[in-house]
Amino acid sequence: MGRRKKIVQECERLMDRPENIRNIAIAAHIDHGKTTLTDNLLAGAGMISEDLAGEQLAMDTEEDEQERGITIDAANVSMTHEWEGTNHLINLIDTPGHVDFGGDVTRAMRAVDGALVVVDAVEGTMPQTETVLRQALREGVKPALFINKVDRLINELQEGPEEMQQRLQGVIRDVNELIRGMAEEKYEEENWRVTVEDGTVAFGSALYNWAVSLPSMQATGIDFGDIIDYNRRGEEGINELKEQSPLSDVVLDMVAEHFPDPLEAQPERIPTVWRGDSESDLATMMQEVDKDGDVVFMVTDIGMDPHAGEIATGRVFSGTLERGQDLHVSGTAGTNRIQSVGIFMGGEREEVERVPAGNIASVTGMRDAIAGSTASSVEMTPFESIEHISEPVITKS
Ligand code: GDP
């Protein structure tokens, strides 16, 4: 059996274990390294060749995106990652990095429970960092921080360990100020601040494929001085650093440890995004991530697949999606029949038999669905309409 096939099978096994699932988005200002980071996470999880990571831009699937050099359509991937001896299924939704696509960012946020905020260490927080963070927090999505391009502090700015730490602390402080300003209650009461000590901050270089966090530094013994030494030694040193402290392990450990699984997340998120009867059976099914319950599928994105045609991607909040099901689509009179059910792997869609509650799924046959539709096996109050947040700034950084 090929490696890819094995990964698909493992994903299918893990889909039934909500406690081992993390649904996340990467949110960043344009050019801060979201695509490079995503490619490296995929390479680390064995989804694409490590040599190609950073070059092949797995997430930028649309030709249009390649041409414009920006990510405009939310693409999705699933990967597995072992954390504390247990394999986890990480469903990752890409979010557009450009301010024109604010509505798409919000939709992606609705499907996930954690947002990995990526900030360029040299540029610091930028207007789009603020926008994506606001969209995440408004949807009840928990943030963690990855400070990228730390190699530039060493190689270009020639900073020493203390200067580097000060700069990184400055970025962390800025991000926390944004979080506190936008979600004070969560920040104060649920400790949604990001800190090195809690392990909710990691930093490194997506381009050179290394990263560190406090837990990783404690495990490997690598400190700031070592990081500078490795980088100054050129290619050989960097290769050693990425072997000792690979980006995908450090970042995915942080994801597995600090982002809520669907069982933890859905009871909090359903009242935030759904205004239906909170006493109803359906509310209970969604809050309990009941895979045997009625099907509730929130469509966050409509994409085109060269083979399968139009594909509706979104979050399964309750029930299990299977081929042949007839689903009501909010805002339309009839039902649509599901033709196929799949997940995304490295930008390509893989058909699977079924996708249970708590996961991100992609289905064909939903011809009446649009991004934002609620598709369900019983007629129901649709999810809250998604608010488009736009900012006045539209210039590229
Ligand atoms: P996105 O717009 O957020 O998806 O950013 P990309 O991943 O496309 O990266 C933008 C640019 O920054 C590209 O030229 C990358 O090669 C570069 N880049 C990404 N990560 C790093 C990094 O860790 N260090 C350095 N020096 N450059 C990086």
Side-chain angles (χ1 to χ4, degrees):
M1 191 193 306
R3 194 175 56 163
R4 190 180 170 84
K5 188 87 196 142
K6 275 193 196 146
I7 298 174
V8 175
Q9 278 199 349
E10 180 62 2
C11 288
E12 286 188 271
R13 188 181 74 85
L14 291 169
M15 282 195 296
D16 276 316
R17 303 174 182 218
E19 65 277 14
N20 294 338
I21 295 170
R22 303 290 182 273
N23 296 313
I24 68 162
I26 299 184
H29 189 82
I30 187 155
D31 277 346
H32 281 199
K34 180 161 50 78
T35 310
T36 313
L37 173 67
T38 306
D39 280 354
N40 275 312
L41 295 181
L42 286 173
M47 306 293 302
I48 57 173
S49 148
E50 295 209 11
D51 298 338
L52 290 178
E55 282 173 31
Q56 87 182 50
L57 303 177
M59 300 296 274
D60 289 351
T61 49
E62 309 237 333
E63 260 173 51
D64 192 28
E65 293 178 37
Q66 302 268 3
E67 272 166 27
R68 299 177 62 183
I70 54 170
T71 311
I72 59 166
D73 190 18
N76 315 285
V77 296
S78 296
M79 61 189 118
T80 63
H81 173 67
E82 191 174 318
W83 177 65
E84 294 203 326
T86 308
N87 230 357
H88 286 70
L89 175 61
I90 317 277
N91 295 315
L92 171 64
I93 287 212
D94 187 31
T95 57
H98 199 269
V99 74
D100 287 355
F101 308 107
D104 284 351
V105 179
T106 310
R107 271 184 220 115
M109 289 302 169
R110 178 146 305 173
V112 300
D113 304 314
L116 186 59
V117 180
V118 176
V119 179
D120 179 328
V122 178
E123 283 205 332
T125 55
M126 295 290 283
Q128 188 68 6
T129 314
E130 197 174 326
T131 310
V132 290
L133 200 48
R134 180 172 295 121
Q135 284 158 331
L137 294 169
R138 192 177 274 204
E139 291 286 314
V141 170
K142 188 180 179 191
L145 174 63
F146 178 68
I147 306 179
N148 191 30
K149 305 198 188 184
V150 174
D151 61 285
R152 293 182 63 195
L153 303 184
I154 303 163
N155 302 327
E156 286 171 38
L157 306 184
Q158 303 277 320
E159 290 185 347
E162 264 167 38
E163 274 173 293
M164 242 170 83
Q165 284 189 58
Q166 266 177 17
R167 187 187 286 271
L168 297 172
Q169 287 298 348
V171 174
I172 296 166
R173 200 177 46 237
D174 289 349
V175 170
N176 278 322
E177 255 164 44
L178 291 174
I179 298 173
R180 189 169 54 192
M182 296 166 185
E184 195 168 358
E185 218 178 284
K186 295 264 191 205
Y187 183 88
E188 299 294 347
E189 285 163 27
E190 294 182 39
N191 198 19
W192 274 27
R193 70 193 71 187
V194 292
T195 66
V196 172
E197 294 72 25
D198 289 349
T200 43
V201 175
F203 26 84
S205 168
L207 188 61
Y208 295 111
N209 211 352
W210 60 267
V212 292
S213 62
L214 189 66
S216 91
M217 287 167 116
Q218 283 165 343
T220 59
I222 293 173
D223 64 19
F224 277 92
D226 299 328
I227 292 171
I228 292 173
D229 289 345
Y230 279 123
N231 275 277
R232 296 248 158 95
R233 275 170 48 209
E235 202 178 327
E236 182 212 354
I238 290 168
N239 282 340
E240 219 170 292
L241 179 56
K242 79 178 183 198
E243 232 163 73
Q244 299 269 331
S245 204
L247 176 123
S248 60
D249 281 356
V250 172
V251 171
L252 294 178
D253 276 359
M254 179 166 84
V255 164
E257 183 166 3
H258 292 287
F259 286 145
D261 65 47
L263 293 172
E264 200 185 326
Q266 286 190 200
E268 292 221 2
R269 302 218 45 226
I270 295 301
T272 312
V273 296
W274 190 63
R275 294 280 178 271
D277 179 1
S278 61
E279 304 291 318
S280 63
D281 289 346
L282 198 60
T284 308
M285 287 171 195
M286 287 197 277
Q287 299 204 5
E288 292 182 351
V289 198
D290 184 356
K291 66 180 178 192
D292 300 317
D294 297 326
V295 175
V296 179
F297 177 51
M298 159 83 206
V299 179
T300 54
D301 180 48
I302 301 284
M304 281 302 284
D305 180 282
H307 312 293
E310 207 168 80
I311 292 183
T313 299
R315 168 82 172 249
V316 191
F317 282 104
S318 163
T320 297
L321 282 175
E322 285 174 56
R323 186 155 46 121
Q325 278 167 344
D326 291 313
L327 299 185
H328 299 270
V329 179
S330 59
T332 69
T335 59
N336 285 171
R337 179 160 295 175
I338 295 180
Q339 303 296 337
S340 73
V341 182
I343 56 174
F344 280 98
M345 311 276 290
E348 281 172 50
R349 183 167 174 272
E350 285 284 342
E351 283 192 15
V352 293
E353 289 288 310
R354 46 190 278 288
V355 177
N359 284 284
I360 308 293
S362 82
V363 304
T364 59
M366 306 295 296
R367 59 181 191 282
D368 297 328
I370 55 168
S373 293
T374 304
S376 50
S377 57
V378 290
E379 286 194 59
M380 65 179 279
T381 307
F383 282 86
E384 282 292 274
S385 62
I386 288 168
E387 242 180 280
H388 181 104
I389 308 173
S390 57
E391 300 288 309
V393 184
I394 50 166
T395 46
K396 207 179 148 189
S397 63

